[in-house]
Amino acid sequence: LSGNGDPSVTASAPGKVIITGEHFVVHGAYALAASINRRVRVSVSSSEGASSTISSRGVISGIYSDSDRSFPVVRTVAKRIFSEFGKPKKPVSIVVASEIPAGSGLGSSAAVSVATAAATARYLGKEPGEDLLSDIALEGERAVHGSPSGIDVQASMRGGMILFSKNSGTKPIPMDRAIQLLVVFSGKQRRTSELISKVAQKKKEFPGLFKHLVDSASFFGLQAVDAATTGDLPYLGAIMNLMETSLSWIGASNKSLDNLLEQVQTDDVFGAKITGAGGGGSVIALPKPERAEALLREVASRYSHSFLCKVPEKGLLIEEG
Ligand code: MEV
C-alpha cells in the first residue's frame, strides 16, 4: 500500500463515559472510564479535487488552509500523520461522521482524533503502534482542550473499561459482565478547556483541600474497579454519588445540571453524576437493571438525547481496507 489509488479506509472510534475521577485525573488521580456505543467514523479516500479536504455534514475545508479554523482536531492529526509518514502523492478527501454530539462530555474530540489518526495512517499503509497513535491523537485533542490528561484518547483507542492515571498510564479492567448506564445529554455544549481552567483556579485557592480530594478520587476509583468487576451496583452507585459532590465543589456542576440530576435520582437508580468536564454536557446514572427501560422513557420525554448503553464497548476499529 502506498497511498493514492488505494481503496478508501474507514476507521471508527467510540466515545466514552468517565465513571469516577474526571478533573481530578488532570491533577494526578486515578480515574475509571469506559467506551460507549456511540462512534465516530473517519474515511480517507483519494480525491479528484486539486487539494486535500476535510468534510463533515456538508461543511468542507482544505487541510492546508491556515486561515481556516474549522476541523481543528482532524487538521492537526492529519498534518501530523503526513509529516510522520509522508504526504499522500495525490489529494485525499477525509470525511468525518459522528454519532456523538460535540461538547456533550462523551469524548467526541478524542474519538475524532483517534479515528483520524488510524484512518490516515492506514491509508498510507502504516500501522503505528498504540503508543505512537495515542501520542498523535493526544496532539489532536490538545488543539481543542488545552491540557487534557489523555484519558479520553485512551478510552476511545483501547475500548473496554480502563483505569487511568497520568503517572501509571492505562490499565485495562477485564469485565465478566457488562454494566448498563443511562446517559443523558443536558443539551448544553461546553468547552472542556474552560472547565479545566476553572478547576485549576479552585486548586490555587484551596491547595490542601484540593489535594485531599485528588487522593480521595484515586481511592474511590480503585474501589469502583472492585464494585464494577464484582457487579456490586449499590456500591458503585454510592461511589458515583459521592464523586458528584466533589465535582460540584470544584465547580463542574451548576443549577441546571443539579436539576437534571434531581430528575434522574429516583428510586430506580443506585447513583448518578456528571460525566466528563461538566458545566453542561452529560450525566450518567446507574439504574436498577429491571427499571432501566422505564427510567429511560421517563427521562427521554424531557431530555431527548438520552440513551441506555452497556459498557464497555470495543475501541478503535478499522472497518474496511
Ligand atoms: C474530560 O472527559 C475529562 C477531564 O478530566 C479532562 C481530561 O482528563 O482530559 C475533565
Side-chain angles (χ1 to χ4, degrees):
L1 283 177
S2 63
N4 296 92
D6 296 326
S8 74
V9 174
T10 299
S12 84
K16 64 88 198 28
V17 288
I18 296 186
I19 298 170
T20 68
E22 53 274 89
H23 285 298
F24 299 107
V25 68
V26 174
H27 303 275
Y30 281 111
L32 183 65
S35 50
I36 60 170
N37 62 351
R38 291 289 184 280
R39 303 183 75 87
V40 170
R41 286 184 178 76
V42 174
S43 302
V44 185
S45 56
S46 68
S47 157
E48 295 304 316
S51 57
S52 293
T53 56
I54 305 166
S55 61
S56 184
R57 295 171 184 236
V59 178
I60 184 157
S61 153
I63 292 185
Y64 294 101
S65 60
D66 285 336
S67 58
D68 194 335
R69 291 180 192 278
S70 53
F71 307 117
V73 176
V74 182
R75 190 183 308 274
T76 303
V77 171
K79 280 180 165 173
R80 170 71 202 278
I81 289 282
F82 295 160
S83 78
E84 188 87 22
F85 299 116
K87 247 171 135 171
K89 293 184 194 76
K90 282 197 284 170
V92 294
S93 157
I94 301 177
V95 180
V96 182
S98 177
E99 301 168 348
I100 312 166
S104 63
L106 300 175
S108 79
S109 39
V112 168
S113 205
V114 168
T116 303
T120 47
R122 180 64 78 96
Y123 182 80
L124 295 170
K126 308 289 178 195
E127 279 183 56
E130 280 194 342
D131 288 347
L132 179 55
L133 207 58
S134 57
D135 278 357
I136 295 173
L138 196 55
E139 241 178 76
E141 219 203 340
R142 278 197 198 105
V144 289
H145 285 176
S147 49
S149 64
I151 190 172
D152 287 15
V153 161
Q154 288 297 314
S156 182
M157 192 175 69
R158 293 172 195 260
M161 182 85 84
I162 61 163
L163 184 70
F164 175 91
S165 85
K166 287 209 309 199
N167 270 341
S168 12
T170 304
K171 183 170 184 267
I173 306 295
M175 295 282 293
D176 289 341
R177 64 201 123 188
I179 292 183
Q180 190 172 41
L181 292 171
L182 173 67
V183 181
V184 185
F185 175 34
S186 65
K188 183 170 185 293
Q189 297 175 316
R190 83 289 165 280
R191 288 187 163 278
T192 298
S193 56
E194 279 168 20
L195 270 300
I196 290 179
S197 309
K198 189 174 174 191
V199 171
Q201 201 50 43
K202 195 82 179 179
K203 179 182 181 178
K204 229 171 161 182
E205 216 180 324
F206 299 100
L209 232 164
F210 194 91
K211 183 189 175 299
H212 278 87
L213 287 184
V214 170
D215 293 347
S216 298
S218 279
F219 179 80
F220 283 118
L222 296 171
Q223 298 294 309
V225 169
D226 280 349
T229 49
T230 58
D232 189 341
L233 301 184
Y235 189 25
L236 187 58
I239 294 170
M240 288 166 58
N241 291 331
L242 216 53
M243 292 310 299
E244 173 58 27
T245 61
S246 306
L247 284 169
S248 186
W249 184 80
I250 61 174
S253 196
N254 56 35
K255 185 94 176 122
S256 71
L257 286 172
D258 284 349
N259 284 333
L260 167 46
L261 283 166
E262 176 65 20
Q263 306 216 4
V264 298
Q265 287 280 32
T266 64
D267 288 345
D268 292 341
V269 306
F270 294 113
K273 62 183 272 294
I274 293 165
T275 190
S282 300
V283 308
I284 51 170
L286 180 63
K288 295 180 179 165
E290 69 284 4
R291 299 295 305 157
E293 295 285 346
L295 181 67
L296 171 66
R297 275 196 300 278
E298 186 159 320
V299 173
S301 65
R302 267 158 287 164
Y303 296 91
S304 55
H305 293 291
S306 308
F307 58 95
L308 288 172
C309 66
K310 289 213 161 95
V311 298
E313 288 275 336
K314 289 197 171 106
L316 171 66
L317 296 171
I318 299 289
E319 298 202 337
E320 63 205 56

